[in-house]
């Protein structure tokens, strides 16, 4: 072989060996460019050149930043991903009496449990799911999102219907929720048969045995089933499962923080601060879009015109300001002087904040405490906000037996790190192909566009982006 041949061979081998380190990032950048094109020229980034970080909350909270879907090309994509049906999803109803009716019902359902009842419910459901792990396994290798999803399926079923969740219904909810979040992350396509099976169950349940809290009277029976499916069994289950996966993976990655909890040396509020710090680094919301219903004036700047699509970037905003950065430090939340000022884990109060904001930290703490009573958490997987890997982690029983062989644990973690790196290569290519296809198919179907084109002009329910 000539010197040139050896050089080409060496370069090819180097590129192949380095695939896990350069290809996923390149593919993600390409996906971002494709996604940005869907937003259209009317997209206004916040924070960005037109809306700097210091104006983020003011613009987000302005009364005119209240449109949800109508008039934005981006909405077609999120209807395609998130909608339980083409009619109703609470977080994306256009403003008006219908939204007020639905939001009021959600608050009433969630307010039906006291803090003590939330604590008992989440603790019981977490214990039941953890009990299902095989007893003979010394160390459990799990995907944290998959582990936590059945917990929240059971929790929210009981919150809505005030009775324990049957196993077959739990399977319907988790199958549908996993399908939704996997499509959002472009790791698989939507499977409408899973969506339809859950919808069918809910319609039958509402016809024969409705929940204690009356559902919105402005909705038909079919729309009530879509409302429950979208609000509680899509969004709530997915978001809380993702939140718990981030929290437990953060504990696995920051051993001193976890050791402080396991040793019982932390003060009672420490775990709550860990939750806050996790949500600061890994916010559940990516980009929330709003369509302006009127002009938004700004002192010293040109007003934002009516009909603009505002793209509120949660991760970028939360990393702005002097308390941003990559350091994971739960104790920064001890003082108002050190805690991040740019923190909106549950949205902005003036513009559809997350309904779970009053008890999310409490319930995450309870689920984490139940998990830490049984296991130490160890992981060497990459931790990103989108969490397409679903959070690979080792659950090590707190018996002390595994400590007798630390070399074995180190070997397993090294293997996990290598496997996680290489898994990102086919996954990123899958995301590129499926994501591109779904962007094209969403634009082709135009679910949002066609809905508003054929609606009667009354207060329309619609599914959009954001949560």
């Amino acid at each position: 072989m000539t010197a040139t041949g050896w050089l080409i061979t060496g370069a090819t081998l180097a590129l192949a060996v380095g695939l896990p380190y350069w290809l996923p990032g390149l593919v993600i950048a390409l996906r971002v460019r494709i996604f940005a094109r869907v937003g259209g020229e009317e997209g206004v980034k916040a924070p960005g050149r037109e809306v700097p970080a210091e104006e983020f909350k003011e613009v987000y909270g302005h009364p005119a930043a209240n449109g949800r879907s109508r008039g934005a090309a981006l909405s077609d994509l999120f209807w395609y991903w998130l909608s339980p049906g083409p009619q109703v999803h609470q977080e994306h109803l256009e403003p008006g009496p219908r939204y007020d009716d639905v939001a009021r019902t959600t608050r009433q359902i969630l307010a039906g449990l006291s803090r003590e009842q939330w604590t008992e419910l989440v603790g019981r459901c977490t214990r039941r799911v953890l009990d299902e792990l095989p007893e003979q396994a010394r160390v459990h290798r799990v995907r944290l999102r998959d582990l936590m999803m059945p917990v929240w399926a059971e929790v929210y079923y009981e919150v809505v219907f005030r009775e324990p969740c049957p196993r077959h219904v739990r399977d319907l909810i988790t199958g549908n929720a996993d399908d939704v979040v996997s499509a959002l992350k472009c790791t698989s396509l939507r499977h409408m048969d899973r969506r339809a099976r859950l919808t069918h169950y809910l319609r039958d349940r509402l016809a024969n045995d409705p929940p204690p809290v009356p559902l919105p009277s402005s909705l038909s029976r079919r729309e009530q089933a879509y409302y429950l499916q979208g609000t509680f069994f899509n969004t709530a289950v997915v978001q809380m499962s993702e939140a718990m996966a981030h929290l437990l993976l953060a504990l696995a990655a920051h051993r001193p923080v976890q050791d402080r909890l396991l040793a019982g040396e932390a003060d009672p509020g420490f775990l709550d601060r860990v939750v806050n710090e996790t949500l600061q680094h890994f916010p559940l919301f990516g980009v929330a879009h709003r369509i302006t219903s009127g002009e938004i004036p700004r002192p010293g700047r040109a007003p934002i015109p009516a009909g603009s699509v505002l793209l509120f970037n949660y991760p970028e905003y939360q990393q702005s300001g002097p308390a941003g950065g990559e350091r994971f430090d739960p104790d920064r939340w001890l003082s108002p002087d050190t805690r991040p000022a740019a923190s909106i884990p549950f949205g902005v109060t003036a513009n559809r904040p997350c309904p779970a904001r009053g008890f999310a930290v409490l319930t995450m703490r309870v689920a984490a405490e139940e998990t830490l009573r049984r296991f130490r958490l160890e992981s060497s997987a990459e931790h990103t906000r989108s969490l397409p890997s679903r959070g690979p982690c080792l659950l090590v029983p707190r018996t002390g037996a595994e400590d007798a062989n630390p070399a074995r644990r180190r070997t397993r973690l090294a293997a996990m790190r290598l496997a996680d790196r290489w898994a990102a290569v086919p996954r990123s290519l899958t995301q590129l192909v499926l994501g591109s296809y779904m962007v094209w198919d969403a634009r082709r179907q135009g679910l949002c566009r066609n809905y508003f084109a054929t609606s009667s002009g009354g207060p329309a329910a619609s599914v959009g982006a954001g949560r």
Side-chain angles (χ1 to χ4, degrees), residues 170-197:
R170 189 182 89 177
D171 293 342
L172 286 176
I173 295 170
T174 55
N176 174 73
D178 180 70
D179 190 56
V180 169
V181 70
S182 295
L184 276 167
K185 297 177 190 301
C186 301
T187 56
S188 76
L189 298 174
R190 284 295 304 271
H191 297 87
M192 297 308 170
D193 55 332
R194 297 177 187 171
R195 184 188 77 176
R197 284 196 293 270

PDB file of all heavy atoms in Angstrom, residues 170-197:
ATOM      1  N   ARG A 170     -53.124   1.140  33.068  1.00  0.00           N
ATOM      2  CA  ARG A 170     -51.772   1.697  33.198  1.00  0.00           C
ATOM      3  C   ARG A 170     -50.960   1.428  31.936  1.00  0.00           C
ATOM      4  O   ARG A 170     -50.217   2.292  31.449  1.00  0.00           O
ATOM      5  CB  ARG A 170     -51.062   1.101  34.412  1.00  0.00           C
ATOM      6  CG  ARG A 170     -49.745   1.786  34.733  1.00  0.00           C
ATOM      7  CD  ARG A 170     -49.049   1.124  35.905  1.00  0.00           C
ATOM      8  NE  ARG A 170     -48.175   0.034  35.466  1.00  0.00           N
ATOM      9  CZ  ARG A 170     -47.400  -0.666  36.297  1.00  0.00           C
ATOM     10  NH1 ARG A 170     -47.428  -0.407  37.601  1.00  0.00           N
ATOM     11  NH2 ARG A 170     -46.623  -1.622  35.839  1.00  0.00           N
ATOM     12  N   ASP A 171     -51.103   0.226  31.384  1.00  0.00           N
ATOM     13  CA  ASP A 171     -50.382  -0.117  30.163  1.00  0.00           C
ATOM     14  C   ASP A 171     -50.851   0.737  28.984  1.00  0.00           C
ATOM     15  O   ASP A 171     -50.037   1.151  28.141  1.00  0.00           O
ATOM     16  CB  ASP A 171     -50.560  -1.598  29.845  1.00  0.00           C
ATOM     17  CG  ASP A 171     -49.881  -2.509  30.863  1.00  0.00           C
ATOM     18  OD1 ASP A 171     -49.001  -2.022  31.599  1.00  0.00           O
ATOM     19  OD2 ASP A 171     -50.236  -3.697  30.914  1.00  0.00           O
ATOM     20  N   LEU A 172     -52.161   1.008  28.907  1.00  0.00           N
ATOM     21  CA  LEU A 172     -52.670   1.885  27.851  1.00  0.00           C
ATOM     22  C   LEU A 172     -52.079   3.285  27.964  1.00  0.00           C
ATOM     23  O   LEU A 172     -51.657   3.889  26.968  1.00  0.00           O
ATOM     24  CB  LEU A 172     -54.194   1.967  27.926  1.00  0.00           C
ATOM     25  CG  LEU A 172     -55.020   0.767  27.467  1.00  0.00           C
ATOM     26  CD1 LEU A 172     -56.501   1.036  27.729  1.00  0.00           C
ATOM     27  CD2 LEU A 172     -54.779   0.470  25.997  1.00  0.00           C
ATOM     28  N   ILE A 173     -52.044   3.816  29.195  1.00  0.00           N
ATOM     29  CA  ILE A 173     -51.557   5.181  29.416  1.00  0.00           C
ATOM     30  C   ILE A 173     -50.069   5.277  29.109  1.00  0.00           C
ATOM     31  O   ILE A 173     -49.612   6.202  28.418  1.00  0.00           O
ATOM     32  CB  ILE A 173     -51.851   5.629  30.854  1.00  0.00           C
ATOM     33  CG1 ILE A 173     -53.367   5.720  31.082  1.00  0.00           C
ATOM     34  CG2 ILE A 173     -51.195   6.988  31.140  1.00  0.00           C
ATOM     35  CD1 ILE A 173     -53.753   5.920  32.538  1.00  0.00           C
ATOM     36  N   THR A 174     -49.281   4.335  29.625  1.00  0.00           N
ATOM     37  CA  THR A 174     -47.835   4.404  29.399  1.00  0.00           C
ATOM     38  C   THR A 174     -47.495   4.171  27.926  1.00  0.00           C
ATOM     39  O   THR A 174     -46.576   4.811  27.391  1.00  0.00           O
ATOM     40  CB  THR A 174     -47.093   3.383  30.278  1.00  0.00           C
ATOM     41  OG1 THR A 174     -47.627   2.071  30.053  1.00  0.00           O
ATOM     42  CG2 THR A 174     -47.221   3.726  31.742  1.00  0.00           C
ATOM     43  N   GLY A 175     -48.226   3.268  27.254  1.00  0.00           N
ATOM     44  CA  GLY A 175     -47.968   3.057  25.835  1.00  0.00           C
ATOM     45  C   GLY A 175     -48.217   4.311  25.024  1.00  0.00           C
ATOM     46  O   GLY A 175     -47.428   4.680  24.149  1.00  0.00           O
ATOM     47  N   ASN A 176     -49.310   5.004  25.327  1.00  0.00           N
ATOM     48  CA  ASN A 176     -49.634   6.241  24.623  1.00  0.00           C
ATOM     49  C   ASN A 176     -48.634   7.346  24.962  1.00  0.00           C
ATOM     50  O   ASN A 176     -48.146   8.049  24.070  1.00  0.00           O
ATOM     51  CB  ASN A 176     -51.049   6.685  24.998  1.00  0.00           C
ATOM     52  CG  ASN A 176     -51.402   8.028  24.411  1.00  0.00           C
ATOM     53  OD1 ASN A 176     -51.629   8.159  23.216  1.00  0.00           O
ATOM     54  ND2 ASN A 176     -51.454   9.054  25.254  1.00  0.00           N
ATOM     55  N   ALA A 177     -48.302   7.503  26.243  1.00  0.00           N
ATOM     56  CA  ALA A 177     -47.382   8.568  26.654  1.00  0.00           C
ATOM     57  C   ALA A 177     -45.995   8.344  26.073  1.00  0.00           C
ATOM     58  O   ALA A 177     -45.329   9.286  25.621  1.00  0.00           O
ATOM     59  CB  ALA A 177     -47.322   8.645  28.181  1.00  0.00           C
ATOM     60  N   ASP A 178     -45.529   7.089  26.087  1.00  0.00           N
ATOM     61  CA  ASP A 178     -44.224   6.795  25.513  1.00  0.00           C
ATOM     62  C   ASP A 178     -44.219   7.074  24.017  1.00  0.00           C
ATOM     63  O   ASP A 178     -43.229   7.583  23.467  1.00  0.00           O
ATOM     64  CB  ASP A 178     -43.854   5.335  25.780  1.00  0.00           C
ATOM     65  CG  ASP A 178     -42.494   4.976  25.209  1.00  0.00           C
ATOM     66  OD1 ASP A 178     -41.487   5.457  25.748  1.00  0.00           O
ATOM     67  OD2 ASP A 178     -42.443   4.223  24.213  1.00  0.00           O
ATOM     68  N   ASP A 179     -45.315   6.785  23.357  1.00  0.00           N
ATOM     69  CA  ASP A 179     -45.419   7.047  21.932  1.00  0.00           C
ATOM     70  C   ASP A 179     -45.334   8.545  21.645  1.00  0.00           C
ATOM     71  O   ASP A 179     -44.642   8.979  20.711  1.00  0.00           O
ATOM     72  CB  ASP A 179     -46.743   6.474  21.420  1.00  0.00           C
ATOM     73  CG  ASP A 179     -46.835   6.485  19.909  1.00  0.00           C
ATOM     74  OD1 ASP A 179     -45.943   5.907  19.266  1.00  0.00           O
ATOM     75  OD2 ASP A 179     -47.791   7.068  19.382  1.00  0.00           O
ATOM     76  N   VAL A 180     -46.019   9.348  22.455  1.00  0.00           N
ATOM     77  CA  VAL A 180     -46.014  10.799  22.275  1.00  0.00           C
ATOM     78  C   VAL A 180     -44.610  11.359  22.449  1.00  0.00           C
ATOM     79  O   VAL A 180     -44.104  12.108  21.600  1.00  0.00           O
ATOM     80  CB  VAL A 180     -46.984  11.472  23.264  1.00  0.00           C
ATOM     81  CG1 VAL A 180     -46.779  12.986  23.273  1.00  0.00           C
ATOM     82  CG2 VAL A 180     -48.425  11.144  22.907  1.00  0.00           C
ATOM     83  N   VAL A 181     -43.948  11.008  23.541  1.00  0.00           N
ATOM     84  CA  VAL A 181     -42.646  11.609  23.829  1.00  0.00           C
ATOM     85  C   VAL A 181     -41.580  11.092  22.863  1.00  0.00           C
ATOM     86  O   VAL A 181     -40.655  11.825  22.497  1.00  0.00           O
ATOM     87  CB  VAL A 181     -42.251  11.366  25.303  1.00  0.00           C
ATOM     88  CG1 VAL A 181     -41.908   9.927  25.584  1.00  0.00           C
ATOM     89  CG2 VAL A 181     -41.086  12.276  25.710  1.00  0.00           C
ATOM     90  N   SER A 182     -41.692   9.835  22.428  1.00  0.00           N
ATOM     91  CA  SER A 182     -40.725   9.315  21.466  1.00  0.00           C
ATOM     92  C   SER A 182     -40.855  10.025  20.122  1.00  0.00           C
ATOM     93  O   SER A 182     -39.854  10.301  19.449  1.00  0.00           O
ATOM     94  CB  SER A 182     -40.910   7.805  21.284  1.00  0.00           C
ATOM     95  OG  SER A 182     -40.625   7.114  22.492  1.00  0.00           O
ATOM     96  N   ALA A 183     -42.086  10.337  19.717  1.00  0.00           N
ATOM     97  CA  ALA A 183     -42.280  11.083  18.477  1.00  0.00           C
ATOM     98  C   ALA A 183     -41.736  12.502  18.612  1.00  0.00           C
ATOM     99  O   ALA A 183     -41.103  13.032  17.694  1.00  0.00           O
ATOM    100  CB  ALA A 183     -43.763  11.119  18.106  1.00  0.00           C
ATOM    101  N   LEU A 184     -41.963  13.136  19.762  1.00  0.00           N
ATOM    102  CA  LEU A 184     -41.434  14.482  19.990  1.00  0.00           C
ATOM    103  C   LEU A 184     -39.917  14.517  19.878  1.00  0.00           C
ATOM    104  O   LEU A 184     -39.339  15.485  19.382  1.00  0.00           O
ATOM    105  CB  LEU A 184     -41.850  14.981  21.374  1.00  0.00           C
ATOM    106  CG  LEU A 184     -43.228  15.619  21.494  1.00  0.00           C
ATOM    107  CD1 LEU A 184     -43.610  15.766  22.952  1.00  0.00           C
ATOM    108  CD2 LEU A 184     -43.237  16.982  20.815  1.00  0.00           C
ATOM    109  N   LYS A 185     -39.271  13.457  20.331  1.00  0.00           N
ATOM    110  CA  LYS A 185     -37.804  13.385  20.279  1.00  0.00           C
ATOM    111  C   LYS A 185     -37.313  12.779  18.964  1.00  0.00           C
ATOM    112  O   LYS A 185     -36.113  12.580  18.772  1.00  0.00           O
ATOM    113  CB  LYS A 185     -37.285  12.589  21.472  1.00  0.00           C
ATOM    114  CG  LYS A 185     -37.623  13.263  22.796  1.00  0.00           C
ATOM    115  CD  LYS A 185     -37.179  12.431  23.983  1.00  0.00           C
ATOM    116  CE  LYS A 185     -37.750  13.002  25.280  1.00  0.00           C
ATOM    117  NZ  LYS A 185     -37.356  14.381  25.533  1.00  0.00           N
ATOM    118  N   CYS A 186     -38.264  12.464  18.072  1.00  0.00           N
ATOM    119  CA  CYS A 186     -37.974  11.955  16.726  1.00  0.00           C
ATOM    120  C   CYS A 186     -37.240  10.619  16.755  1.00  0.00           C
ATOM    121  O   CYS A 186     -36.520  10.283  15.811  1.00  0.00           O
ATOM    122  CB  CYS A 186     -37.164  12.982  15.913  1.00  0.00           C
ATOM    123  SG  CYS A 186     -37.988  14.564  15.725  1.00  0.00           S
ATOM    124  N   THR A 187     -37.439   9.832  17.814  1.00  0.00           N
ATOM    125  CA  THR A 187     -36.832   8.502  17.852  1.00  0.00           C
ATOM    126  C   THR A 187     -37.774   7.441  17.314  1.00  0.00           C
ATOM    127  O   THR A 187     -37.359   6.294  17.103  1.00  0.00           O
ATOM    128  CB  THR A 187     -36.411   8.135  19.286  1.00  0.00           C
ATOM    129  OG1 THR A 187     -37.544   8.221  20.165  1.00  0.00           O
ATOM    130  CG2 THR A 187     -35.324   9.078  19.784  1.00  0.00           C
ATOM    131  N   SER A 188     -39.053   7.782  17.108  1.00  0.00           N
ATOM    132  CA  SER A 188     -39.995   6.880  16.446  1.00  0.00           C
ATOM    133  C   SER A 188     -41.161   7.701  15.922  1.00  0.00           C
ATOM    134  O   SER A 188     -41.334   8.868  16.291  1.00  0.00           O
ATOM    135  CB  SER A 188     -40.492   5.787  17.410  1.00  0.00           C
ATOM    136  OG  SER A 188     -41.439   6.321  18.316  1.00  0.00           O
ATOM    137  N   LEU A 189     -41.953   7.086  15.070  1.00  0.00           N
ATOM    138  CA  LEU A 189     -43.141   7.741  14.540  1.00  0.00           C
ATOM    139  C   LEU A 189     -44.299   7.576  15.512  1.00  0.00           C
ATOM    140  O   LEU A 189     -44.268   6.736  16.404  1.00  0.00           O
ATOM    141  CB  LEU A 189     -43.510   7.145  13.183  1.00  0.00           C
ATOM    142  CG  LEU A 189     -42.466   7.295  12.073  1.00  0.00           C
ATOM    143  CD1 LEU A 189     -42.909   6.517  10.835  1.00  0.00           C
ATOM    144  CD2 LEU A 189     -42.245   8.765  11.715  1.00  0.00           C
ATOM    145  N   ARG A 190     -45.344   8.389  15.351  1.00  0.00           N
ATOM    146  CA  ARG A 190     -46.555   8.217  16.142  1.00  0.00           C
ATOM    147  C   ARG A 190     -47.277   6.944  15.721  1.00  0.00           C
ATOM    148  O   ARG A 190     -47.322   6.604  14.549  1.00  0.00           O
ATOM    149  CB  ARG A 190     -47.509   9.403  15.953  1.00  0.00           C
ATOM    150  CG  ARG A 190     -47.149  10.675  16.659  1.00  0.00           C
ATOM    151  CD  ARG A 190     -47.189  10.575  18.177  1.00  0.00           C
ATOM    152  NE  ARG A 190     -48.462  10.133  18.704  1.00  0.00           N
ATOM    153  CZ  ARG A 190     -49.468  10.947  19.024  1.00  0.00           C
ATOM    154  NH1 ARG A 190     -49.348  12.237  18.853  1.00  0.00           N
ATOM    155  NH2 ARG A 190     -50.583  10.464  19.533  1.00  0.00           N
ATOM    156  N   HIS A 191     -47.845   6.237  16.703  1.00  0.00           N
ATOM    157  CA  HIS A 191     -48.645   5.043  16.434  1.00  0.00           C
ATOM    158  C   HIS A 191     -50.079   5.357  16.856  1.00  0.00           C
ATOM    159  O   HIS A 191     -50.412   5.332  18.036  1.00  0.00           O
ATOM    160  CB  HIS A 191     -48.099   3.841  17.198  1.00  0.00           C
ATOM    161  CG  HIS A 191     -46.714   3.462  16.795  1.00  0.00           C
ATOM    162  ND1 HIS A 191     -45.602   4.039  17.369  1.00  0.00           N
ATOM    163  CD2 HIS A 191     -46.261   2.584  15.864  1.00  0.00           C
ATOM    164  CE1 HIS A 191     -44.516   3.524  16.810  1.00  0.00           C
ATOM    165  NE2 HIS A 191     -44.884   2.641  15.899  1.00  0.00           N
ATOM    166  N   MET A 192     -50.900   5.671  15.884  1.00  0.00           N
ATOM    167  CA  MET A 192     -52.235   6.148  16.182  1.00  0.00           C
ATOM    168  C   MET A 192     -53.118   5.066  16.798  1.00  0.00           C
ATOM    169  O   MET A 192     -54.125   5.378  17.438  1.00  0.00           O
ATOM    170  CB  MET A 192     -52.881   6.711  14.919  1.00  0.00           C
ATOM    171  CG  MET A 192     -52.140   7.920  14.364  1.00  0.00           C
ATOM    172  SD  MET A 192     -51.878   9.206  15.638  1.00  0.00           S
ATOM    173  CE  MET A 192     -50.760  10.306  14.796  1.00  0.00           C
ATOM    174  N   ASP A 193     -52.746   3.785  16.625  1.00  0.00           N
ATOM    175  CA  ASP A 193     -53.538   2.729  17.249  1.00  0.00           C
ATOM    176  C   ASP A 193     -53.420   2.802  18.772  1.00  0.00           C
ATOM    177  O   ASP A 193     -54.391   2.549  19.484  1.00  0.00           O
ATOM    178  CB  ASP A 193     -53.101   1.355  16.747  1.00  0.00           C
ATOM    179  CG  ASP A 193     -51.612   1.103  16.927  1.00  0.00           C
ATOM    180  OD1 ASP A 193     -50.832   2.074  16.923  1.00  0.00           O
ATOM    181  OD2 ASP A 193     -51.226  -0.074  17.058  1.00  0.00           O
ATOM    182  N   ARG A 194     -52.244   3.165  19.284  1.00  0.00           N
ATOM    183  CA  ARG A 194     -52.077   3.321  20.735  1.00  0.00           C
ATOM    184  C   ARG A 194     -52.912   4.489  21.246  1.00  0.00           C
ATOM    185  O   ARG A 194     -53.537   4.408  22.304  1.00  0.00           O
ATOM    186  CB  ARG A 194     -50.605   3.523  21.078  1.00  0.00           C
ATOM    187  CG  ARG A 194     -49.731   2.337  20.722  1.00  0.00           C
ATOM    188  CD  ARG A 194     -48.271   2.628  21.015  1.00  0.00           C
ATOM    189  NE  ARG A 194     -47.428   1.555  20.515  1.00  0.00           N
ATOM    190  CZ  ARG A 194     -46.104   1.608  20.479  1.00  0.00           C
ATOM    191  NH1 ARG A 194     -45.470   2.693  20.921  1.00  0.00           N
ATOM    192  NH2 ARG A 194     -45.398   0.600  20.007  1.00  0.00           N
ATOM    193  N   ARG A 195     -52.884   5.574  20.512  1.00  0.00           N
ATOM    194  CA  ARG A 195     -53.696   6.728  20.886  1.00  0.00           C
ATOM    195  C   ARG A 195     -55.169   6.355  20.896  1.00  0.00           C
ATOM    196  O   ARG A 195     -55.913   6.695  21.817  1.00  0.00           O
ATOM    197  CB  ARG A 195     -53.451   7.870  19.888  1.00  0.00           C
ATOM    198  CG  ARG A 195     -54.185   9.154  20.243  1.00  0.00           C
ATOM    199  CD  ARG A 195     -54.072  10.175  19.139  1.00  0.00           C
ATOM    200  NE  ARG A 195     -54.980   9.856  18.036  1.00  0.00           N
ATOM    201  CZ  ARG A 195     -55.148  10.631  16.969  1.00  0.00           C
ATOM    202  NH1 ARG A 195     -54.453  11.734  16.844  1.00  0.00           N
ATOM    203  NH2 ARG A 195     -55.985  10.291  16.016  1.00  0.00           N
ATOM    204  N   ALA A 196     -55.602   5.633  19.852  1.00  0.00           N
ATOM    205  CA  ALA A 196     -57.021   5.304  19.709  1.00  0.00           C
ATOM    206  C   ALA A 196     -57.502   4.361  20.809  1.00  0.00           C
ATOM    207  O   ALA A 196     -58.637   4.482  21.281  1.00  0.00           O
ATOM    208  CB  ALA A 196     -57.274   4.682  18.335  1.00  0.00           C
ATOM    209  N   ARG A 197     -56.644   3.425  21.240  1.00  0.00           N
ATOM    210  CA  ARG A 197     -57.062   2.489  22.285  1.00  0.00           C
ATOM    211  C   ARG A 197     -57.327   3.220  23.594  1.00  0.00           C
ATOM    212  O   ARG A 197     -58.302   2.919  24.299  1.00  0.00           O
ATOM    213  CB  ARG A 197     -55.995   1.403  22.479  1.00  0.00           C
ATOM    214  CG  ARG A 197     -55.999   0.348  21.382  1.00  0.00           C
ATOM    215  CD  ARG A 197     -55.212  -0.884  21.808  1.00  0.00           C
ATOM    216  NE  ARG A 197     -53.794  -0.617  21.936  1.00  0.00           N
ATOM    217  CZ  ARG A 197     -52.911  -0.755  20.946  1.00  0.00           C
ATOM    218  NH1 ARG A 197     -53.327  -1.144  19.735  1.00  0.00           N
ATOM    219  NH2 ARG A 197     -51.637  -0.522  21.147  1.00  0.00           N
TER     220      ARG A 197
END
